[in-house]
Amino acid sequence: MIYVIYDISDDKIRKKVSDKCLNYGLLRIQKSVFAGNLNKNRIDELRVFCENIIEENDKVYIIEVCEKCFGKLICIGEEFDKELVNDSKKTMVL
Amino acid sequence: MIYVIYDISDDKIRKKVSDKCLNYGLLRIQKSVFAGNLNKNRIDELRVFCENIIEENDKVYIIEVCEKCFGKLICIGEEFDKELVNDSKKTMVL
């Protein structure tokens, strides 16, 4: 399971990163936060993609969590569908 | 180790949550993202605090990660001081 969280000032660049996350099957859980399952290669591809387009003060953090850590997630306010996020593993395999 | 990530529309409420995170010794690593070490009670206190003040469409997620998962963090662009974040455990104990 991974979370992708970013602070990107330029709208066009930010859109490219969010489109890439959607394209990889990640789910948007907050404005600048995506979650889902990506294999090691995809994570590297995403890292290289972001390295090539973000600007100096921009930040993209990819937080990888094990199933146990994912289970300890606390959602306050509007929740997201944890099953769906975790299921993205199945959609990846099909 | 925890990350606190939030989407909060009202400026005053957002400030209260960020002030509370700073007050608990968490470090701001992105505009709406804090990181650091909090014990179980503090996490519960933060959760209740946020539950009481955020509005309907607001979201606050507390992502708890073990040392191993924290070690797999990928920072692209402007990094944050992982030692400092992890050290906040020591400052908590002193």
Side-chain angles (χ1 to χ4, degrees):
Chain A
M1 252 296 300
I2 67 162
Y3 298 95
V4 180
I5 57 177
Y6 51 80
D7 259 356
I8 298 172
S9 35
D10 180 271
D11 293 342
K12 280 197 197 110
I13 296 174
R14 193 170 50 248
K15 177 118 180 23
K16 281 183 185 167
V17 170
S18 60
D19 286 350
K20 182 63 87 173
C21 288
L22 289 170
N23 186 282
Y24 278 0
L26 298 178
L27 288 155
R28 188 193 291 265
I29 61 171
Q30 283 187 22
K31 274 190 213 111
S32 308
V33 183
F34 284 79
N37 278 289
L38 287 189
N39 62 36
K40 189 82 195 70
N41 292 342
R42 279 292 210 204
I43 292 174
D44 281 345
E45 270 175 42
L46 182 59
R47 181 176 52 75
V48 172
F49 176 82
C50 293
E51 278 168 358
N52 290 333
I53 60 167
I54 64 172
E55 295 177 328
E56 206 186 337
N57 297 323
D58 293 341
K59 301 166 197 157
V60 180
Y61 298 156
I62 301 175
I63 301 171
E64 213 175 321
V65 293
C66 58
E67 295 267 347
K68 197 176 160 221
C69 285
F70 180 63
K72 289 188 278 184
L73 170 70
I74 297 171
C75 293
I76 304 156
E78 210 180 288
E79 296 223 5
F80 67 87
D81 187 335
K82 289 181 204 157
E83 298 271 319
L84 193 61
V85 165
N86 229 348
D87 269 1
S88 63
K89 204 182 302 180
K90 288 183 198 123
T91 49
M92 284 297 129
V93 171
L94 295 184
Chain B
M1 252 297 299
I2 67 163
Y3 299 93
V4 180
I5 59 175
Y6 52 79
D7 260 355
I8 297 171
S9 33
D10 180 85
D11 293 342
K12 281 198 196 106
I13 296 172
R14 193 169 52 247
K15 177 121 180 21
K16 280 183 185 165
V17 170
S18 61
D19 287 349
K20 182 62 87 174
C21 288
L22 289 170
N23 187 281
Y24 279 0
L26 298 178
L27 288 154
R28 188 191 291 265
I29 62 170
Q30 285 186 20
K31 273 188 212 114
S32 308
V33 183
F34 284 80
N37 279 288
L38 287 190
N39 61 37
K40 190 81 199 69
N41 291 343
R42 279 291 211 207
I43 292 174
D44 282 344
E45 268 175 44
L46 182 59
R47 181 177 52 76
V48 171
F49 176 82
C50 292
E51 278 168 359
N52 289 334
I53 61 167
I54 65 170
E55 295 177 328
E56 204 186 337
N57 297 323
D58 293 341
K59 300 167 196 154
V60 180
Y61 298 156
I62 300 175
I63 301 172
E64 212 174 322
V65 293
C66 57
E67 296 267 345
K68 199 177 159 219
C69 286
F70 180 62
K72 290 187 278 185
L73 170 69
I74 298 171
C75 293
I76 305 157
E78 209 178 289
E79 296 223 5
F80 66 88
D81 187 334
K82 288 182 208 158
E83 298 273 319
L84 192 61
V85 165
N86 228 348
D87 269 1
S88 59
K89 200 183 305 181
K90 286 181 202 125
T91 48
M92 286 297 133
V93 170
L94 296 185

PDB file of all heavy atoms in Angstrom, chain A residues 6 12 20 27-29 33 39 44 47 49 64 68 76 81 84-85 87:
ATOM      1  N   TYR A   6       1.580  15.359  -2.065  1.00  0.00           N
ATOM      2  CA  TYR A   6       2.433  16.330  -2.770  1.00  0.00           C
ATOM      3  C   TYR A   6       2.009  17.784  -2.501  1.00  0.00           C
ATOM      4  O   TYR A   6       0.854  18.067  -2.224  1.00  0.00           O
ATOM      5  CB  TYR A   6       2.445  16.084  -4.280  1.00  0.00           C
ATOM      6  CG  TYR A   6       1.100  15.962  -4.932  1.00  0.00           C
ATOM      7  CD1 TYR A   6       0.344  17.089  -5.245  1.00  0.00           C
ATOM      8  CD2 TYR A   6       0.578  14.695  -5.242  1.00  0.00           C
ATOM      9  CE1 TYR A   6      -0.899  16.967  -5.853  1.00  0.00           C
ATOM     10  CE2 TYR A   6      -0.668  14.564  -5.829  1.00  0.00           C
ATOM     11  CZ  TYR A   6      -1.401  15.706  -6.134  1.00  0.00           C
ATOM     12  OH  TYR A   6      -2.641  15.576  -6.730  1.00  0.00           O
ATOM     13  N   LYS A  12      -0.344  23.183 -13.757  1.00  0.00           N
ATOM     14  CA  LYS A  12      -0.181  22.204 -14.867  1.00  0.00           C
ATOM     15  C   LYS A  12       0.623  20.998 -14.407  1.00  0.00           C
ATOM     16  O   LYS A  12       0.280  19.851 -14.660  1.00  0.00           O
ATOM     17  CB  LYS A  12       0.498  22.871 -16.057  1.00  0.00           C
ATOM     18  CG  LYS A  12      -0.462  23.705 -16.895  1.00  0.00           C
ATOM     19  CD  LYS A  12       0.117  24.024 -18.283  1.00  0.00           C
ATOM     20  CE  LYS A  12      -0.638  25.186 -18.935  1.00  0.00           C
ATOM     21  NZ  LYS A  12       0.184  26.430 -19.022  1.00  0.00           N
ATOM     22  N   LYS A  20      -1.199  11.140 -13.552  1.00  0.00           N
ATOM     23  CA  LYS A  20      -0.344   9.941 -13.535  1.00  0.00           C
ATOM     24  C   LYS A  20      -0.803   8.991 -12.420  1.00  0.00           C
ATOM     25  O   LYS A  20      -0.911   7.786 -12.623  1.00  0.00           O
ATOM     26  CB  LYS A  20       1.117  10.349 -13.349  1.00  0.00           C
ATOM     27  CG  LYS A  20       2.118   9.209 -13.361  1.00  0.00           C
ATOM     28  CD  LYS A  20       2.181   8.452 -14.649  1.00  0.00           C
ATOM     29  CE  LYS A  20       3.129   9.028 -15.661  1.00  0.00           C
ATOM     30  NZ  LYS A  20       3.297   8.164 -16.851  1.00  0.00           N
ATOM     31  N   LEU A  27      -6.219   5.938  -5.931  1.00  0.00           N
ATOM     32  CA  LEU A  27      -7.464   6.668  -5.638  1.00  0.00           C
ATOM     33  C   LEU A  27      -7.140   7.975  -4.941  1.00  0.00           C
ATOM     34  O   LEU A  27      -6.284   8.021  -4.042  1.00  0.00           O
ATOM     35  CB  LEU A  27      -8.349   5.803  -4.741  1.00  0.00           C
ATOM     36  CG  LEU A  27      -8.964   4.613  -5.462  1.00  0.00           C
ATOM     37  CD1 LEU A  27      -9.300   3.492  -4.482  1.00  0.00           C
ATOM     38  CD2 LEU A  27     -10.204   5.042  -6.227  1.00  0.00           C
ATOM     39  N   ARG A  28      -7.848   9.027  -5.332  1.00  0.00           N
ATOM     40  CA  ARG A  28      -7.634  10.314  -4.655  1.00  0.00           C
ATOM     41  C   ARG A  28      -8.412  10.283  -3.348  1.00  0.00           C
ATOM     42  O   ARG A  28      -9.627  10.114  -3.356  1.00  0.00           O
ATOM     43  CB  ARG A  28      -8.129  11.456  -5.538  1.00  0.00           C
ATOM     44  CG  ARG A  28      -7.761  12.830  -4.994  1.00  0.00           C
ATOM     45  CD  ARG A  28      -8.513  13.949  -5.702  1.00  0.00           C
ATOM     46  NE  ARG A  28      -8.082  14.094  -7.069  1.00  0.00           N
ATOM     47  CZ  ARG A  28      -7.142  14.955  -7.493  1.00  0.00           C
ATOM     48  NH1 ARG A  28      -6.523  15.724  -6.593  1.00  0.00           N
ATOM     49  NH2 ARG A  28      -6.808  15.053  -8.751  1.00  0.00           N
ATOM     50  N   ILE A  29      -7.680  10.440  -2.214  1.00  0.00           N
ATOM     51  CA  ILE A  29      -8.364  10.411  -0.921  1.00  0.00           C
ATOM     52  C   ILE A  29      -8.406  11.787  -0.277  1.00  0.00           C
ATOM     53  O   ILE A  29      -9.202  12.019   0.623  1.00  0.00           O
ATOM     54  CB  ILE A  29      -7.707   9.377   0.036  1.00  0.00           C
ATOM     55  CG1 ILE A  29      -6.248   9.710   0.327  1.00  0.00           C
ATOM     56  CG2 ILE A  29      -7.867   7.954  -0.513  1.00  0.00           C
ATOM     57  CD1 ILE A  29      -5.643   8.840   1.435  1.00  0.00           C
ATOM     58  N   VAL A  33      -3.585  14.027  -2.154  1.00  0.00           N
ATOM     59  CA  VAL A  33      -3.181  12.725  -1.597  1.00  0.00           C
ATOM     60  C   VAL A  33      -3.860  11.585  -2.355  1.00  0.00           C
ATOM     61  O   VAL A  33      -5.075  11.597  -2.547  1.00  0.00           O
ATOM     62  CB  VAL A  33      -3.571  12.606  -0.091  1.00  0.00           C
ATOM     63  CG1 VAL A  33      -3.075  11.286   0.501  1.00  0.00           C
ATOM     64  CG2 VAL A  33      -3.002  13.777   0.713  1.00  0.00           C
ATOM     65  N   ASN A  39       3.237  -1.862  -7.669  1.00  0.00           N
ATOM     66  CA  ASN A  39       4.402  -2.720  -7.461  1.00  0.00           C
ATOM     67  C   ASN A  39       5.679  -1.874  -7.534  1.00  0.00           C
ATOM     68  O   ASN A  39       5.640  -0.684  -7.865  1.00  0.00           O
ATOM     69  CB  ASN A  39       4.423  -3.858  -8.498  1.00  0.00           C
ATOM     70  CG  ASN A  39       4.533  -3.318  -9.924  1.00  0.00           C
ATOM     71  OD1 ASN A  39       5.207  -2.320 -10.180  1.00  0.00           O
ATOM     72  ND2 ASN A  39       3.866  -3.966 -10.870  1.00  0.00           N
ATOM     73  N   ASP A  44       8.915   3.060  -8.845  1.00  0.00           N
ATOM     74  CA  ASP A  44      10.123   3.673  -9.418  1.00  0.00           C
ATOM     75  C   ASP A  44       9.761   4.557 -10.612  1.00  0.00           C
ATOM     76  O   ASP A  44      10.283   5.663 -10.761  1.00  0.00           O
ATOM     77  CB  ASP A  44      11.111   2.581  -9.851  1.00  0.00           C
ATOM     78  CG  ASP A  44      11.881   2.022  -8.644  1.00  0.00           C
ATOM     79  OD1 ASP A  44      11.844   2.689  -7.570  1.00  0.00           O
ATOM     80  OD2 ASP A  44      12.465   0.935  -8.766  1.00  0.00           O
ATOM     81  N   ARG A  47       8.323   7.713  -9.371  1.00  0.00           N
ATOM     82  CA  ARG A  47       9.377   8.541  -8.760  1.00  0.00           C
ATOM     83  C   ARG A  47      10.150   9.299  -9.862  1.00  0.00           C
ATOM     84  O   ARG A  47      10.311  10.509  -9.812  1.00  0.00           O
ATOM     85  CB  ARG A  47      10.342   7.668  -7.959  1.00  0.00           C
ATOM     86  CG  ARG A  47      11.456   8.439  -7.276  1.00  0.00           C
ATOM     87  CD  ARG A  47      12.337   7.537  -6.412  1.00  0.00           C
ATOM     88  NE  ARG A  47      12.813   6.378  -7.157  1.00  0.00           N
ATOM     89  CZ  ARG A  47      13.780   6.421  -8.068  1.00  0.00           C
ATOM     90  NH1 ARG A  47      14.351   7.588  -8.356  1.00  0.00           N
ATOM     91  NH2 ARG A  47      14.183   5.336  -8.692  1.00  0.00           N
ATOM     92  N   PHE A  49       9.215   9.867 -12.952  1.00  0.00           N
ATOM     93  CA  PHE A  49       8.285  10.801 -13.615  1.00  0.00           C
ATOM     94  C   PHE A  49       8.225  12.118 -12.839  1.00  0.00           C
ATOM     95  O   PHE A  49       8.373  13.197 -13.403  1.00  0.00           O
ATOM     96  CB  PHE A  49       6.894  10.174 -13.699  1.00  0.00           C
ATOM     97  CG  PHE A  49       5.844  11.080 -14.283  1.00  0.00           C
ATOM     98  CD1 PHE A  49       5.721  11.220 -15.658  1.00  0.00           C
ATOM     99  CD2 PHE A  49       4.998  11.825 -13.458  1.00  0.00           C
ATOM    100  CE1 PHE A  49       4.764  12.075 -16.206  1.00  0.00           C
ATOM    101  CE2 PHE A  49       4.032  12.671 -13.994  1.00  0.00           C
ATOM    102  CZ  PHE A  49       3.927  12.795 -15.362  1.00  0.00           C
ATOM    103  N   GLU A  64       5.219   4.271   1.797  1.00  0.00           N
ATOM    104  CA  GLU A  64       4.835   2.877   1.628  1.00  0.00           C
ATOM    105  C   GLU A  64       4.462   2.298   2.991  1.00  0.00           C
ATOM    106  O   GLU A  64       5.204   2.517   3.960  1.00  0.00           O
ATOM    107  CB  GLU A  64       6.028   2.109   1.046  1.00  0.00           C
ATOM    108  CG  GLU A  64       5.653   0.985   0.132  1.00  0.00           C
ATOM    109  CD  GLU A  64       6.871   0.333  -0.524  1.00  0.00           C
ATOM    110  OE1 GLU A  64       7.816   1.080  -0.884  1.00  0.00           O
ATOM    111  OE2 GLU A  64       6.873  -0.895  -0.647  1.00  0.00           O
ATOM    112  N   LYS A  68      -0.325  -4.144   8.030  1.00  0.00           N
ATOM    113  CA  LYS A  68      -0.565  -3.893   9.461  1.00  0.00           C
ATOM    114  C   LYS A  68      -0.665  -2.384   9.717  1.00  0.00           C
ATOM    115  O   LYS A  68      -1.599  -1.903  10.353  1.00  0.00           O
ATOM    116  CB  LYS A  68       0.574  -4.509  10.294  1.00  0.00           C
ATOM    117  CG  LYS A  68       0.227  -4.669  11.768  1.00  0.00           C
ATOM    118  CD  LYS A  68       1.328  -5.379  12.555  1.00  0.00           C
ATOM    119  CE  LYS A  68       1.176  -5.086  14.051  1.00  0.00           C
ATOM    120  NZ  LYS A  68       2.478  -4.844  14.712  1.00  0.00           N
ATOM    121  N   ILE A  76     -10.677  10.829  10.228  1.00  0.00           N
ATOM    122  CA  ILE A  76     -11.558  11.723  10.981  1.00  0.00           C
ATOM    123  C   ILE A  76     -12.283  12.591   9.959  1.00  0.00           C
ATOM    124  O   ILE A  76     -11.665  13.133   9.061  1.00  0.00           O
ATOM    125  CB  ILE A  76     -10.740  12.614  11.947  1.00  0.00           C
ATOM    126  CG1 ILE A  76      -9.879  11.740  12.874  1.00  0.00           C
ATOM    127  CG2 ILE A  76     -11.648  13.539  12.761  1.00  0.00           C
ATOM    128  CD1 ILE A  76      -8.674  12.462  13.429  1.00  0.00           C
ATOM    129  N   ASP A  81     -12.889   4.791   1.054  1.00  0.00           N
ATOM    130  CA  ASP A  81     -13.205   3.362   1.038  1.00  0.00           C
ATOM    131  C   ASP A  81     -11.916   2.546   1.103  1.00  0.00           C
ATOM    132  O   ASP A  81     -11.246   2.328   0.094  1.00  0.00           O
ATOM    133  CB  ASP A  81     -13.982   3.056  -0.256  1.00  0.00           C
ATOM    134  CG  ASP A  81     -14.490   1.614  -0.271  1.00  0.00           C
ATOM    135  OD1 ASP A  81     -13.884   0.764   0.424  1.00  0.00           O
ATOM    136  OD2 ASP A  81     -15.465   1.347  -0.992  1.00  0.00           O
ATOM    137  N   LEU A  84     -11.748  -0.482  -1.109  1.00  0.00           N
ATOM    138  CA  LEU A  84     -11.531  -0.143  -2.520  1.00  0.00           C
ATOM    139  C   LEU A  84     -10.048   0.131  -2.758  1.00  0.00           C
ATOM    140  O   LEU A  84      -9.456  -0.357  -3.707  1.00  0.00           O
ATOM    141  CB  LEU A  84     -12.358   1.099  -2.881  1.00  0.00           C
ATOM    142  CG  LEU A  84     -12.513   1.422  -4.366  1.00  0.00           C
ATOM    143  CD1 LEU A  84     -13.215   0.268  -5.093  1.00  0.00           C
ATOM    144  CD2 LEU A  84     -13.304   2.711  -4.553  1.00  0.00           C
ATOM    145  N   VAL A  85      -9.440   0.865  -1.830  1.00  0.00           N
ATOM    146  CA  VAL A  85      -8.017   1.205  -1.969  1.00  0.00           C
ATOM    147  C   VAL A  85      -7.201  -0.072  -1.925  1.00  0.00           C
ATOM    148  O   VAL A  85      -6.333  -0.303  -2.747  1.00  0.00           O
ATOM    149  CB  VAL A  85      -7.563   2.167  -0.844  1.00  0.00           C
ATOM    150  CG1 VAL A  85      -6.044   2.242  -0.755  1.00  0.00           C
ATOM    151  CG2 VAL A  85      -8.147   3.550  -1.078  1.00  0.00           C
ATOM    152  N   ASP A  87      -8.344  -3.018  -2.508  1.00  0.00           N
ATOM    153  CA  ASP A  87      -8.732  -3.900  -3.611  1.00  0.00           C
ATOM    154  C   ASP A  87      -7.982  -3.557  -4.880  1.00  0.00           C
ATOM    155  O   ASP A  87      -7.927  -4.343  -5.794  1.00  0.00           O
ATOM    156  CB  ASP A  87     -10.244  -3.762  -3.892  1.00  0.00           C
ATOM    157  CG  ASP A  87     -10.999  -4.783  -3.058  1.00  0.00           C
ATOM    158  OD1 ASP A  87     -10.314  -5.525  -2.308  1.00  0.00           O
ATOM    159  OD2 ASP A  87     -12.220  -4.821  -3.129  1.00  0.00           O
TER     160      ASP A  87
END
